[in-house]
Every structure is written in C-alpha cells, then in structure tokens.
Amino acid sequence: MNITHPESLIFWTVLVFVILLVLLKKYAWGPILGAVKDRETSINDALAAAEEARKEMQNLKADNERILKEARAERDALLKEAREIKEQIIADAKGEAQEQGNKIIAQAKSTIESEKKAALAELKNQVAGLSLEIAEKVVKQEFSDKDKQLELVENMLGEAGTLN
C-alpha cells in the first residue's frame, strides 16, 4: 500500500469520510438532532404558554371590564335609590308638616271659637246682670211710691186674668 499515489489518497479520504459520517450519524447526529428537537419542543411549548397567557390576559381584561361595568351600574342604581329615598323623605316631611300645620290651624280655630263663645256668654251674663241692676233700680224707684205699687199690681192682675 502506497499512500503516495493520488488515487489511493482519494480512496482513503473517502473511506475515512464515510467512516466519520457513519460514526457521526450513530453517535453525534442522534444527540444533536434530539437536542434540536428538544429545543424546538421547548420553544413551541413556550410559544403555546405565551399564547395561553395572552388569552388569559384578554379574559382577565374582559372580566375586569365586565366587573367595572357592573360596579358602575350598581353604583348608579344605589345613587338613584338614594335620591328616591331622599325625595320620599322630603315629601313625607312636607306632608307631615302640612298635616301638623292643618292640625294647629284647626286647634287654633277651635280655641278661638270656644273663646269667642265664652266671651259672648260672659258678655251676655254681664248684660243680664246690668239689665237686672237697671231693672232693680227702676223697680225700686217705681215702688217707692205706694200708689204706683198698687196700680202696677192691679195692672198685672188684670193682664194675668186676660191670659187665662
């Protein structure tokens, strides 16, 4: 074997190359391709996880917006209810004040009427008392004279007799 010939050199080079290829395929390409495959799988898994996280973020954002809308709607409902309660309380207070005012006016009218009746009764009593005093004075003056007394008695008896 002479290695100095160019044909033999090509032969040995090709032979070494083929052996190297067989050895690389058997021992190196499998682990390298497995590592590349593992890397590809981990990248795909990371991309899938990122996509899942993006979808989850969209869902959370949608949920947050929905919760925010519900909270706003609830707040608006509570404010509306509070306004209605306030208006109802004001209306009730006005009605109660009106009712109390009407009762006070009715009581005042009743008191005025009863005081008016009492004053009229007192005035009648005073007029009756004055009338009796005047009549008593007139009668005393009339009866001071004996003749006038007899004349008055006869007139009364005459009137009493005509009434029967």
Side-chain angles (χ1 to χ4, degrees):
M1 253 204 225
N2 193 354
I3 302 181
T4 58
H5 291 298
E7 291 101 24
S8 65
L9 184 61
I10 291 176
F11 171 74
W12 287 111
T13 305
V14 170
L15 181 67
V16 169
F17 184 73
V18 168
I19 292 172
L20 183 64
L21 277 179
V22 169
L23 287 175
L24 282 175
K25 185 176 182 184
K26 186 173 184 178
Y27 295 108
W29 285 110
I32 290 173
L33 287 178
V36 169
K37 194 78 150 165
D38 289 344
R39 178 71 178 151
E40 182 183 0
T41 303
S42 70
I43 289 172
N44 286 337
D45 289 345
L47 288 174
E51 180 65 22
E52 186 67 30
R54 186 187 64 78
K55 287 179 182 177
E56 190 172 326
M57 286 299 291
Q58 284 179 339
N59 290 340
L60 288 174
K61 185 177 178 183
D63 285 347
N64 285 342
E65 288 176 7
R66 179 186 52 80
I67 289 169
L68 187 60
K69 283 180 184 178
E70 288 174 1
R72 284 183 183 145
E74 187 174 339
R75 179 200 64 197
D76 291 344
L78 287 173
L79 287 174
K80 181 181 177 186
E81 184 179 346
R83 275 190 225 107
E84 289 173 355
I85 289 171
K86 177 189 80 167
E87 290 170 2
Q88 182 64 38
I89 289 172
I90 289 172
D92 290 347
K94 283 181 182 178
E96 190 175 325
Q98 182 69 35
E99 187 178 314
Q100 290 293 330
N102 289 341
K103 283 182 181 180
I104 290 171
I105 290 171
Q107 287 176 346
K109 285 181 180 179
S110 174
T111 302
I112 289 170
E113 188 64 32
S114 65
E115 288 180 7
K116 180 180 169 185
K117 287 180 181 178
L120 284 174
E122 180 67 28
L123 185 61
K124 285 180 182 179
N125 287 339
Q126 287 179 358
V127 167
L130 287 175
S131 296
L132 283 176
E133 283 181 30
I134 293 171
E136 185 181 325
K137 286 181 183 179
V138 168
V139 169
K140 276 185 184 179
Q141 195 175 23
E142 287 288 321
F143 286 133
S144 61
D145 185 13
K146 274 253 192 213
D147 293 332
K148 287 184 181 180
Q149 285 179 8
L150 287 173
E151 183 181 328
L152 183 62
V153 170
E154 286 176 8
N155 283 339
M156 289 182 144
L157 288 173
E159 285 177 13
T162 59
L163 291 175
N164 287 335

